[in-house]
Amino acid sequence: AGGSWIANVYVSAEAGTWTVTGNYGGLIDTASLTVNGGALDHIIISPDSATVTAGDVQTYTAEAFDEFDNTLGDVTTSTSFSIDSAAGGSWSANVYTSATAGTWTVTGSYSGVSDTASLTVSVGSADHIVVSPDGATIIAGSSQAYTAQTADQFGNPIADVTGDTTFSIDTGAGGSWAANVYTSARAGTWTVTGDYGGLTDTAVLNVTAASVSYITILPDGVAIAAGDSQTYTAQSFDEFGNLVADVTDTTVLSIDVGAEGTWAANIYTSAKAGTWTVTGTCLGLTDSASLTVTAGPLHHIVISPDSATIAAG
């Protein structure tokens, strides 16, 4: 029964029905004392420590006690259960369905008192792989390293499988691979794919043009009639042929002296028939295009010689 005596006063502890015995000079008598549980002091949720695999469920119970640990009964159905928010998963009354791997704290609350328990969630079997990084941006000619990691159905990481993963990129991207390291070439937004034993994942790679390597004057090889005009454009490119910018406005255009004609910014109005070289210069870089000028429509005739002197006959 526990408890304690102060002379003839008994201070109770353990709930139950107990026998009180009085002894006076060998004369003995007994009485029955029933001790009921006291006021609610605390609860205990069970199990206190458990381990499950991500996706599995764990059922909890709650029991109420007074300050002397006398049970006040099962209070599971009236207890509110929760778990660390980062654990994810879901509750159905006192049954928790796990999700995120880790060691988490489960809390049960009943009538203003609470208790905690530890739940360890281990990773499940491999469900997919994750290729990283996703959404990287690099300059053409530079390299990007990728990693691959297996994960269970809830995204819990399992193991690094980079060394056993085959990486590839859209054909149009060009460039080259050295294991998991890609060296870029063509500018654009490309899809990188990792394949590990049939499990695949993709990542987006943005490749931007590198510094200017050369310019191009367009069009090249056109033919116009004398007096007609031709508009030219100039574009700058990096060493991989990626367009950097339209530089028409900052390009100085000219044509062979013998072609004559006139320029109005990037528009040439032709004069002399022939095949001429148009030259553009920008940023210290030059390029040329061929322009053929054909004779225009009949405008006049010239008879020759214009002046002559001869003897009669």
Side-chain angles (χ1 to χ4, degrees), residues 109-293:
S109 298
Y110 169 74
S111 291
V113 295
S114 63
D115 186 35
T116 61
S118 176
L119 176 64
T120 298
V121 180
S122 57
V123 298
S125 57
D127 175 74
H128 60 280
I129 64 170
V130 177
V131 172
S132 298
D134 184 20
T137 297
I138 59 175
I139 296 173
S142 58
S143 299
Q144 178 63 57
Y146 285 89
T147 61
Q149 191 170 49
T150 51
D152 66 14
Q153 62 176 316
F154 300 100
N156 297 309
I158 298 175
D160 187 298
V161 292
T162 303
D164 297 315
T165 298
T166 300
F167 294 92
S168 60
I169 196 169
D170 296 333
T171 304
S176 61
W177 287 94
N180 63 313
V181 180
Y182 171 67
T183 300
S184 59
R186 302 297 299 171
T189 298
W190 312 105
T191 299
V192 173
T193 301
D195 187 318
Y196 170 72
L199 299 177
T200 62
D201 187 35
T202 60
V204 172
L205 175 64
N206 300 299
V207 180
T208 59
S211 57
V212 176
S213 176
Y214 63 91
I215 65 170
T216 297
I217 303 301
L218 295 172
D220 182 22
V222 297
I224 61 175
D228 288 349
S229 298
Q230 178 62 53
T231 300
Y232 285 91
T233 61
Q235 294 178 319
S236 59
F237 295 85
D238 66 13
E239 62 179 302
F240 302 100
N242 297 310
L243 175 65
V244 177
D246 186 296
V247 292
T248 303
D249 291 345
T250 56
T251 298
V252 177
L253 296 162
S254 61
I255 196 168
D256 296 334
V257 175
E260 297 184 8
T262 58
W263 286 95
N266 60 317
I267 301 174
Y268 172 67
T269 301
S270 60
K272 295 294 185 181
T275 298
W276 313 104
T277 298
V278 175
T279 301
T281 301
C282 178
L283 302 173
L285 303 171
T286 61
D287 187 40
S288 60
S290 175
L291 174 65
T292 298
V293 179

Side-chain angles (χ1 to χ4, degrees), residues 79-92:
T79 298
S80 175
F81 293 92
S82 62
I83 195 170
D84 296 332
S85 59
S90 60
W91 287 93
S92 177

Side-chain angles (χ1 to χ4, degrees), residues 26-128:
L27 300 176
I28 299 173
D29 189 28
T30 61
S32 176
L33 175 65
T34 298
V35 179
N36 296 317
L40 174 66
D41 178 73
H42 62 279
I43 64 170
I44 294 178
I45 62 172
S46 300
D48 180 55
S49 178
T51 298
V52 297
T53 299
D56 289 349
V57 300
Q58 178 63 54
T59 301
Y60 286 90
T61 61
E63 188 173 4
F65 296 87
D66 66 12
E67 63 177 304
F68 301 101
D69 287 332
N70 295 308
T71 181
L72 301 178
D74 186 297
V75 293
T76 302
T77 58
S78 300
T79 298
S80 175
F81 293 92
S82 62
I83 195 170
D84 296 332
S85 59
S90 60
W91 287 93
S92 177
N94 61 316
V95 180
Y96 172 66
T97 302
S98 59
T100 304
T103 299
W104 312 105
T105 298
V106 174
T107 302
S109 298
Y110 169 74
S111 291
V113 295
S114 63
D115 186 35
T116 61
S118 176
L119 176 64
T120 298
V121 180
S122 57
V123 298
S125 57
D127 175 74
H128 60 280

